[in-house]
Amino acid sequence: MASDLDTVRVLRALFNDMPRAPQGLSGLELMAWIKSSMTDFEGGEMAYMIEHITRNSMLDIVLHMRESGHLQDDAAFDETVALISTEEGRRTFRDRCINAQKTVDVTERLLKRARRSTQAEQTLFVADPQEIERFVSGQASGPGPLFAEYAAREDVREIGVFDQTPTQVHEFAWGFVVEHPGAWNVYVAEVWRQGTVGYFDRFLNAWKLEAARPLDDAGSAPAVPAGLLVDDGIGSFSSLCFELEAGASVPQVRRWLGETFIGRMLPRMAAKVLDDTYDFPANGQAS
């Protein structure tokens, strides 16, 4: 902890050239003196307030560094106290603080970028080629143990998501897909086991990110089939919802969903969604 003497030294250094009220003033006289000091200050009352706020911020910074930073060294502390006792020195100290914050910000951005690069290659699961082939051919497996686990959840039963068992359920090792005429709802087991069914916003952000990411050596992004709409799964209590416009080819879309989305995109998306440290780019584009 910074000692009382340290605090007094820093206060005197920071405020040695600020106006001081004369001794013996009454309460009303003191208020009038403060008002006059603010009005007469170069730049007016606003400049006076900003100057006080700035110097008090510097007080907090110096005392914090005295307690836990490099100013624990007495020589460094003495040097800083002398520095901030002049206007020029305070400008130098402020510049150092600003530059240090810029360095911290740049470092944080670089660390986030590095994390994204590493996390972009992580996958939650490896898709089974036989399961994908079965899905592409339209051979629904029917409800299995994962569907039963999900349908038995209290929140799922309260909302009535599966009051009636869907006629087409494609169950995989990682979860299941419910197929309706022209629509597919995707459910990932590790997501609903986290205590929430949707992660709706994170899945939608992951979709935007992956949909713009090249998937092959030629740099080609995954071409989403014409007429396929993607939405968060709030309405179906799922991870994502795919809906087909009238006239679009169901077999073509099912093949894309199986081979491209489930086989390549979803494993990476789910890994990002479940990683609470992953910071999705604000614009949905990889950086």
Side-chain angles (χ1 to χ4, degrees):
M1 295 291 291
S3 68
D4 291 342
L5 178 59
D6 293 336
T7 303
V8 170
R9 289 183 61 191
V10 177
L11 281 168
R12 286 177 174 174
L14 284 170
F15 294 96
N16 69 88
D17 58 348
M18 293 293 284
R20 295 184 183 181
Q23 295 292 324
L25 296 180
S26 66
L28 290 177
E29 291 172 335
L30 178 60
M31 292 300 296
W33 180 90
I34 293 174
K35 178 67 175 177
S36 175
S37 297
M38 295 175 65
T39 303
D40 296 340
F41 190 80
E42 183 178 357
E45 293 185 19
M46 183 59 69
Y48 181 91
M49 293 174 62
I50 292 174
E51 187 66 22
H52 260 271
I53 292 171
T54 301
R55 297 195 192 195
N56 276 291
S57 297
M58 293 171 67
L59 171 66
D60 292 338
I61 293 170
V62 172
L63 292 180
H64 176 73
M65 290 193 294
R66 179 60 168 166
E67 292 177 359
S68 57
H70 75 282
L71 295 187
Q72 292 178 82
D73 178 78
D74 290 339
F77 180 66
D78 291 342
E79 179 184 350
T80 299
V81 170
L83 179 70
I84 62 177
S85 65
T86 66
E87 178 58 31
E88 182 179 355
R90 286 189 289 274
R91 282 198 299 268
T92 299
F93 183 80
R94 287 197 297 267
D95 290 342
R96 289 178 184 175
C97 293
I98 292 170
N99 289 332
Q101 185 60 51
K102 288 180 179 178
T103 301
V104 169
D105 292 342
V106 169
T107 301
E108 179 63 19
R109 287 197 297 270
L110 290 174
L111 288 174
K112 285 184 177 180
R113 186 174 301 173
R115 278 202 304 271
R116 287 175 189 162
S117 177
T118 301
Q119 293 161 327
E121 304 308 318
Q122 294 177 348
T123 59
L124 182 66
F125 61 87
V126 176
D128 185 323
Q130 291 184 335
E131 291 181 340
I132 291 178
E133 183 178 351
R134 186 191 68 210
F135 175 82
V136 170
S137 64
Q139 299 175 16
S141 64
L146 292 180
F147 177 88
E149 175 189 334
Y150 178 79
R153 286 178 57 93
E154 183 178 354
D155 48 3
V156 174
R157 288 188 287 106
E158 285 181 355
I159 296 175
V161 180
F162 293 130
D163 283 347
Q164 294 184 339
T165 302
T167 57
Q168 285 192 294
V169 178
H170 304 268
E171 184 146 328
F172 301 82
W174 50 265
F176 60 91
V177 176
V178 173
E179 181 172 353
H180 302 285
W184 295 263
N185 300 327
V186 180
Y187 299 83
V188 180
E190 288 306 310
V191 173
W192 77 63
R193 287 170 181 163
Q194 298 302 310
T196 179
V197 180
Y199 278 82
F200 305 117
D201 289 338
R202 290 185 66 81
F203 254 110
L204 200 55
N205 287 332
W207 160 258
K208 294 175 182 177
L209 189 64
E210 287 296 318
R213 172 192 169 126
L215 289 181
D216 56 34
D217 295 337
S220 298
V224 180
L228 183 63
L229 306 177
V230 184
D231 198 0
D232 60 47
I234 294 177
S236 56
F237 229 39
S238 64
S239 299
L240 279 177
C241 176
F242 295 87
E243 187 173 352
L244 202 57
E245 293 181 336
S249 171
V250 173
Q252 178 188 0
V253 169
R254 192 186 288 114
R255 176 172 295 278
W256 181 88
L257 285 171
E259 296 177 354
T260 301
F261 178 73
I262 294 175
R264 306 172 74 179
M265 299 172 70
L266 182 60
R268 281 199 303 264
M269 290 171 56
K272 294 184 182 72
V273 168
L274 290 171
D275 184 352
D276 292 336
T277 67
Y278 187 84
D279 182 30
F280 286 101
N283 59 2
Q285 301 294 318
S287 58

